Amino acid sequence: MSRRSGILEFAVLGLLRESPMHGYELRKRLNTSLGIFRAFSYGTLYPCLKTLVANGWLIEESSVPPEDTPAVPLTGRRAKIVYRLTAEGKEHFEELLSQTGPDAYEDEHFAARFAFFGQTSRDVRMRVLEGRRSRLEERLEKMRASLARTRERLDDYTLELQRHGMESVEREVRWLNELIESERSGRHRRTGQDGSPQQGTSGEKDDLPRSREDSRPDSSDDTAT
């Protein structure tokens, strides 16, 4: 399984843990809540859903009205398939949430993990945040060393591009420092009796530093298929 498909499966399981959805709803949520999936299509989503169903982590349910419901003309519209997380799927997702290996620190995987921090225990959040910070500090050190070696050979525009990249990494490191300090000082909200956060929507990050621009809804007018 590729890293990209693994991230998508993780995100789908996380969204369906909140509530059952059909494919169109899932795609819209992935586009708006997790910007890393903004460009993906139904051709990517449905094979992922089929794999999750085959693994026993999801079940498909038809949204056809009960037989005793008064008939309404459908004008050619098809009933939608609703995807629901199974008990095995929930267990698998919780196992994925607990993982804090190197993949959790990479750019796309970290964005997906962070979107579900509201469902993640505090100790795991800390390990992921600290791992991400360490990864970026290593990246920043390499960028500075590279710039020092090549500065005299770069034209003004390439030099500005290098500086822009460094400034972006520096901003994220400062943002991570703020998040880590918030976790350590216990300024985080809605925790359960065991100290882990209560389940909520993936977009809820109350009391977190707001140094990043919120994702905006996709303006494309998708239609269900």
Side-chain angles (χ1 to χ4, degrees), residues 9 12-13 16-17 26 48-61 82-90:
E9 290 184 7
V12 168
L13 291 172
L16 291 176
R17 186 186 182 188
L26 266 172
C48 172
L49 291 171
K50 289 184 181 300
T51 297
L52 296 175
V53 170
N55 288 338
W57 297 330
L58 301 182
I59 57 173
E60 297 177 328
E61 299 176 341
V82 174
Y83 295 89
R84 182 183 299 275
L85 198 65
T86 64
E88 292 80 5
K90 182 179 179 180

Side-chain angles (χ1 to χ4, degrees), residues 130-173:
E130 290 174 343
R132 174 66 174 175
R133 180 176 63 180
S134 177
R135 179 63 52 84
L136 290 183
E137 287 174 341
E138 292 174 2
R139 185 183 301 175
L140 190 57
E141 184 178 350
K142 291 178 181 178
M143 293 172 74
R144 287 169 175 162
S146 175
L147 184 60
R149 290 194 306 269
T150 61
R151 181 187 298 272
E152 298 302 323
R153 301 195 299 271
L154 299 177
D155 61 63
D156 290 344
Y157 296 103
T158 304
L159 185 60
E160 284 303 313
L161 185 61
Q162 295 274 350
R163 287 173 175 164
H164 173 69
M166 287 178 53
E167 289 172 358
S168 297
V169 177
E170 288 169 344
R171 282 196 299 272
E172 185 168 351
V173 170

Side-chain angles (χ1 to χ4, degrees), residues 66 72 108 155 158 188 199:
V72 178
E108 289 188 342
D155 61 63
T158 304
H188 281 88
Q199 184 171 334

Side-chain angles (χ1 to χ4, degrees), residues 79-139:
K80 297 182 184 300
I81 299 298
V82 174
Y83 295 89
R84 182 183 299 275
L85 198 65
T86 64
E88 292 80 5
K90 182 179 179 180
E91 182 179 347
H92 178 63
F93 179 69
E94 290 173 350
E95 179 183 345
L96 294 176
L97 276 181
S98 69
Q99 295 178 2
T100 58
D103 281 351
Y105 317 148
E106 298 299 336
D107 295 343
E108 289 188 342
H109 205 153
F110 173 75
R113 289 297 303 269
F114 189 81
F116 295 99
F117 263 22
Q119 304 181 36
T120 306
S121 64
R122 180 180 178 276
D123 62 322
V124 171
R125 293 198 305 265
M126 284 292 294
R127 287 198 295 271
V128 173
L129 290 171
E130 290 174 343
R132 174 66 174 175
R133 180 176 63 180
S134 177
R135 179 63 52 84
L136 290 183
E137 287 174 341
E138 292 174 2
R139 185 183 301 175

